[in-house]
């Protein structure tokens, strides 16, 4: 049964690559029917939990303590997050999408699994003309990957500055994931300010038994996938996507020997900008097609709201271990390891 391997491409570096090796181009081509407007709505419905889960992951894992580092102290850390897709986001109904030229085939279900829905094909669809006449062109809604967790990864380095300020850089050069999986890169930056020493100086630890900080960050993934969909004469076909996330948090923590529990509350927002660029032929019936340039464009805000987290940091010499749970649009867990000098 056919899977839409563009999902695997978008998620490959986020620990989602699977063993199956099929052509992403061939599977993406299954959505190029009816017309760009309908295809865009189907793409949005199918990938909605990916957009939201990845948006949550973009803003996760920045810090697991309110305590700032000493001047020029540093650490490097790698962590991974998993956002749990709720039952309501594991399927969609094409009858609610406002499609113009695509309808369920007579007697077929209108329900399809989302990308992180069940590992089964969705209902059988038929393409109609703009006048509402059946064309005899049929296709099935794509199946899900069979599990309900959206993974993401964070790779970052943090440096301590004067005035109890930490700055963090997230970066990954452009990495080619494979001939059928495209390429991915990451960039991000953040900062944290420990508040109490700014106002209370050296008496902080005696008067207040916890550390308090404010922090913020920005992360962006860029993804590119060259395509060759039913149109070998056009070499400009490709998927270009950007996923951006911004967060602001207030953090409270308490160091107890090598163990530091923390709690935070904050605001996060993320957005997706995904385009299918180039020249494509859309199937309009079993024997005819229409040509479009740059047919699909998705630009939307996926996450915009409050989040709350609980977690901890364990420190053994140069090594650190992290874990946290976050309640937001989707619930999420994060775990990671670090290596560094300083608090």
């Amino acid at each position: 049964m056919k899977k839409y391997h563009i999902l695997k491409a978008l998620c490959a570096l986020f620990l989602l690559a699977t063993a199956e090796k099929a052509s992403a181009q061939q599977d993406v081509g299954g959505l190029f029917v009816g017309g760009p407007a309908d295809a865009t709505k189907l793409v949005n419905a199918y990938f909605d939990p990916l957009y939201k889960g990845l948006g949550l992951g973009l803003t996760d894992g920045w810090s697991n303590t309110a305590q700032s580092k000493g001047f020029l102290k540093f650490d490097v850390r790698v962590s991974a997050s998993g956002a749990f897709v709720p039952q309501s986001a594991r399927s969609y109904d094409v009858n609610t999408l406002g499609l113009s030229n695509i309808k369920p085939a007579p007697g077929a279900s209108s329900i399809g699994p989302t990308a992180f829905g069940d590992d089964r094909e969705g209902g059988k669809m038929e393409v109609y003309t703009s006048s509402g006449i059946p064309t005899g062109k049929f296709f099935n809604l794509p199946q899900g990957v069979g599990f309900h967790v959206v993974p993401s990864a964070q790779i970052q380095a943090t440096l301590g500055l004067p005035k109890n300020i930490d700055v963090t850089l997230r970066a990954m050069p452009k990495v080619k994931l494979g001939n059928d999986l495209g390429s991915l890169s990451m960039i991000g930056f953040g900062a944290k300010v420990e508040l109490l020493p700014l106002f209370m100086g050296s008496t902080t630890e005696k008067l207040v038994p916890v550390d308090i900080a404010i922090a913020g960050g920005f992360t962006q993934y860029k993804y590119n996938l060259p395509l060759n969909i039913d149109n070998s004469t056009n070499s400009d076909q490709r998927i270009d996507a950007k996923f951006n996330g911004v967060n602001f948090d207030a953090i409270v923590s308490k160091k107890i020997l090598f163990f530091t529990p923390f709690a935070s509350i904050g605001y996060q927002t993320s957005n997706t900008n995904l385009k299918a660029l180039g020249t494509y032929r859309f199937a309009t019936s079993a024997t005819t097609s229409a040509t479009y340039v740059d047919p699909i464009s998705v630009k939307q805000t996926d996450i915009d709201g409050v989040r709350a987290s609980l977690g901890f940091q364990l420190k053994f010499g140069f090594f650190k271990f992290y874990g946290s749970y976050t309640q937001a649009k989707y619930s999420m867990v994060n775990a990671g390891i670090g290596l560094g000098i300083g608090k």
Side-chain angles (χ1 to χ4, degrees):
M1 296 177 70
K2 201 179 220 182
K3 291 182 182 294
Y4 277 70
H5 291 271
I6 184 172
L7 170 65
K8 298 183 182 73
L10 290 172
C11 295
L13 201 65
F14 315 135
L15 312 180
L16 190 63
T18 67
E20 188 175 1
K21 293 292 185 181
S23 170
Q25 289 92 332
Q26 178 183 351
D27 293 325
V28 172
L31 292 177
F32 286 66
V33 295
D38 282 357
T40 299
K41 292 175 182 178
L42 288 172
V43 166
N44 271 346
Y46 181 67
F47 286 120
D48 183 67
L50 172 65
Y51 299 154
K52 289 183 170 63
L54 186 56
L56 291 166
L58 284 168
T59 62
D60 198 34
W62 283 101
S63 181
N64 292 80
T65 175
Q67 193 175 44
S68 62
K69 297 185 177 302
F71 180 51
L72 297 184
K73 303 299 183 180
F74 70 92
D75 70 29
V76 178
R77 60 189 290 179
V78 178
S79 59
S81 298
F84 300 100
V85 179
Q87 184 68 45
S88 61
R90 297 176 189 176
S91 63
Y92 61 96
D93 187 342
V94 296
N95 289 334
T96 67
L97 302 182
L99 303 180
S100 299
N101 301 316
I102 297 173
K103 300 178 183 179
S109 172
S110 63
I111 305 299
T114 62
F116 287 87
D118 294 335
D119 183 9
R120 59 174 179 81
E121 278 189 328
K124 186 177 182 180
M125 300 292 112
E126 184 171 11
V127 179
Y128 287 71
T129 68
S130 57
S131 303
I133 301 173
T135 65
K137 171 68 176 180
F138 296 92
F139 69 98
N140 280 86
L141 297 173
Q143 64 195 76
V145 296
F147 59 93
H148 316 305
V149 180
V150 183
S152 57
Q154 303 86 29
I155 307 168
Q156 64 187 49
T158 300
L159 177 69
L161 299 181
K163 303 297 183 180
N164 304 100
I165 297 173
D166 290 349
V167 292
T168 299
L169 173 67
R170 289 180 166 179
M172 182 183 68
K174 188 174 182 179
V175 176
K176 187 175 181 180
L177 306 175
N179 292 333
D180 290 326
L181 296 178
S183 59
L184 185 73
S185 63
M186 178 182 68
I187 190 69
F189 53 87
K192 181 177 69 180
V193 180
E194 188 179 353
L195 297 178
L196 294 182
L198 296 178
F199 303 105
M200 304 175 65
S202 60
T203 63
T204 298
E205 293 185 6
K206 297 180 180 179
L207 298 177
V208 182
V210 297
D211 301 307
I212 301 174
I214 56 173
F218 165 83
T219 307
Q220 180 184 83
Y221 289 116
K222 289 185 178 180
Y223 175 76
N224 177 269
L225 174 68
L227 298 176
N228 183 13
I229 299 175
D230 191 31
N231 201 347
S232 59
T233 61
N234 290 287
S235 61
D236 60 344
Q237 295 179 348
R238 67 189 187 277
I239 295 288
D240 279 348
K242 294 180 181 179
F243 304 93
N244 299 318
V246 176
N247 63 284
F248 300 96
D249 296 282
I251 309 168
V252 178
S253 67
K254 173 62 178 179
K255 185 177 181 182
I256 307 170
L257 299 177
F258 56 85
F259 175 64
T260 304
F262 82 94
S264 68
I265 188 168
Y267 165 79
Q268 61 184 162
T269 182
S270 69
N271 62 75
T272 296
N273 188 343
L274 183 149
K275 298 179 180 179
L277 303 176
T279 304
Y280 302 82
R281 288 203 304 263
F282 278 67
T284 54
S285 75
T287 58
T288 62
S289 63
T291 300
Y292 295 90
V293 177
D294 300 347
I296 294 178
S297 179
V298 176
K299 189 173 184 180
Q300 63 187 31
T301 297
D302 305 301
I303 300 293
D304 187 19
V306 176
R307 69 175 182 179
S309 300
L310 292 172
F312 66 89
Q313 172 181 284
L314 294 173
K315 182 181 178 183
F316 303 98
F318 296 116
F319 296 95
K320 299 177 181 179
F321 302 88
Y322 314 96
S324 66
Y325 170 81
T326 298
Q327 183 62 53
K329 184 75 173 181
Y330 295 171
S331 60
M332 180 170 55
V333 293
N334 176 274
I337 58 175
L339 174 67
I341 300 175
K343 300 177 183 178

